[in-house]
Amino acid sequence: MIRRAKSLFLAAAVATVAALAGNAAWAQKPVHWRIQSNLNAGEPGYVALEEKFARLATQMSNGRITFDIHPVGALFPIADGLEAVGAGVTEMAVLTGGYYAGKLGPFANLESGVPGSLRTPIERFNFFYKRGFLELAREAYAPHGVFYLGPQLSPAWDIMSKKPITSKADFKGLKIRSFGLEAEWYKKMGASPVFLSGGEIYTALATGVLDAARWASPAGNMNNSFHEVAKYYVQPSPMPVPNNFFAVNDAAWKALPDDLKAILQEAVVASSLDYILISMNNDAKAMQKMQAAGVQISTIPDKEWESMEADARELWQAYEKQGGFAARGVALLNEFLRDLGRLEPGAAK
């Protein structure tokens, strides 16, 4: 009887060990994801995605998670990005939130950055990671089957124009490429906003379809040869600290073990910082080259710019009346701006 009990115990122990070994093997099974960027290969944001997100995450996980990275449009049209990630067409993508305002409402504009608000990358990092906006973004995107992993902060999105712009009045009648709340802002100043893809901007400027375009920072604008057809670079930047974001299929995210989730969240921050640093170096060189090719800086004076920023704030602060995620986002942004001393204590409550 004792011998039989020992045999049964031994058999049970062997079975338990085998089960544990099987579970361990399953837990260590490599994960492979596809990522579609919102940029073309070789652009700074694409390089940051490759080197400081994908490669870093693979190294930190000892090869337990790997990635194939695809340029914009390779797996799905960028306009369909939200549905593509939510449906699992790809496990992950870098998207621009403002493109999806029709699906998420005005919160999408707040998420990708609005004029008349934050001014530096550190302020934007603070807003996401220390002021509660990251958690709000995750809540807003969850109904679409998307886990909002984090922002990919980018360099400024600037205006290049075929004519000088030094005041609000200069926007009257201006045909300018833009989208989202920014387009509403230009329209409020009398402009005629037009939305075109990046690949259409050069020809539109050259043929007069556009008078100006808000596209990228100096390096991005020069790489697209906009300086050949638009000889005025407008400052200050209307969008000094915009961001794209890392969208993950919710089911794919939930299937990851906690340590891989933690690694990806750290890699997102590293990728944003790398993008900003690469761009800072590239932008300085690009601006010098464009000026050597005849581009002039067109500066809007401080007082005029303050008035223009106030117009922009009126637009995004009005989102609060719509309730929901937009109202909560506006409340967070107003609170942060008051703490930074850019809003009066009782303003925009």
Side-chain angles (χ1 to χ4, degrees):
M1 184 73 177
I2 293 174
R3 184 177 297 172
R4 184 167 181 270
K6 285 182 177 179
S7 297
L8 290 173
F9 176 79
L10 182 60
V14 170
T16 300
V17 170
L20 289 173
N23 287 339
W26 178 85
Q28 295 300 314
K29 184 178 179 182
V31 176
H32 186 76
W33 281 6
R34 297 156 297 169
I35 307 175
Q36 178 172 297
S37 173
N38 64 326
L39 300 170
N40 291 311
E43 295 190 66
Y46 193 98
V47 173
L49 173 63
E50 285 182 311
E51 296 184 356
K52 288 297 182 181
F53 179 79
R55 190 175 303 168
L56 180 62
T58 298
Q59 291 172 346
M60 291 174 68
S61 68
N62 291 318
R64 289 170 53 217
I65 186 164
T66 56
F67 306 89
D68 282 334
I69 301 178
H70 302 270
V72 61
L75 302 179
F76 53 84
I78 194 67
D80 298 335
L82 202 61
E83 293 90 342
V85 175
V89 173
T90 183
E91 290 80 15
M92 186 172 172
V94 180
L95 304 176
T96 303
Y99 289 176
Y100 310 112
K103 300 176 179 69
L104 280 92
F107 179 82
N109 293 326
L110 291 169
E111 182 277 322
S112 59
V114 287
S117 59
L118 305 179
R119 296 174 181 169
T120 70
I122 292 298
E123 289 179 0
R124 194 74 176 150
F125 266 124
N126 196 336
F127 185 55
F128 270 95
Y129 288 98
K130 298 297 182 182
R131 307 293 297 212
F133 194 73
L134 178 60
E135 290 76 14
L136 184 59
R138 288 175 176 171
E139 190 178 342
Y141 278 88
H144 300 272
V146 170
F147 178 76
Y148 187 104
L149 182 55
Q152 188 192 46
L153 272 67
S154 75
W157 293 346
D158 298 335
I159 296 173
M160 292 197 73
S161 175
K162 297 172 69 173
K163 57 185 74 174
I165 297 177
T166 59
S167 70
K168 186 186 301 188
D170 290 333
F171 281 86
K172 188 171 183 179
L174 192 76
K175 294 173 289 187
I176 181 169
R177 185 269 180 195
S178 62
F179 65 89
L181 177 130
E182 190 187 357
E184 295 177 42
W185 181 33
Y186 299 145
K187 188 174 181 180
K188 186 176 181 179
M189 293 187 288
S192 298
V194 180
F195 180 72
L196 297 172
S197 68
E200 299 173 292
I201 293 174
Y202 181 94
T203 300
L205 285 168
T207 59
V209 172
L210 289 177
D211 301 314
R214 200 284 294 134
W215 174 246
S217 65
N221 289 326
M222 189 186 76
N223 289 344
N224 283 283
S225 301
F226 297 158
H227 61 292
E228 295 177 356
V229 288
K231 293 296 184 179
Y232 295 92
Y233 206 100
V234 182
Q235 289 293 302
S237 174
M239 294 287 285
V241 282
N243 61 269
N244 304 302
F245 75 98
F246 292 85
V248 179
N249 174 266
D250 192 57
W253 176 255
K254 288 176 178 175
L256 291 179
D258 288 345
D259 67 323
L260 287 187
K261 289 179 180 177
I263 286 170
L264 296 192
Q265 292 185 82
E266 292 302 315
V268 161
V269 176
S271 178
S272 276
L273 181 59
D274 198 51
Y275 189 6
I276 293 166
L277 296 180
I278 292 172
S279 297
M280 182 183 296
N281 294 330
N282 292 346
D283 287 343
K285 295 174 183 177
M287 183 60 78
Q288 292 178 52
K289 289 180 180 178
M290 286 194 291
Q291 287 181 287
V295 170
Q296 300 179 48
I297 305 298
S298 186
T299 302
I300 300 172
D302 291 345
K303 288 294 183 183
E304 184 76 357
W305 185 249
E306 288 173 11
S307 174
M308 290 169 61
E309 283 196 312
D311 288 343
R313 277 195 296 275
E314 285 182 7
L315 290 172
W316 59 256
Q317 285 173 341
Y319 290 164
E320 196 163 20
K321 299 175 183 177
Q322 300 189 31
F325 295 118
R328 291 164 63 188
V330 168
L332 287 175
L333 188 50
N334 280 335
E335 180 183 27
F336 191 26
L337 288 174
R338 281 193 290 271
D339 288 349
L340 292 171
R342 294 188 203 141
L343 281 183
E344 294 297 323
K349 282 190 175 180

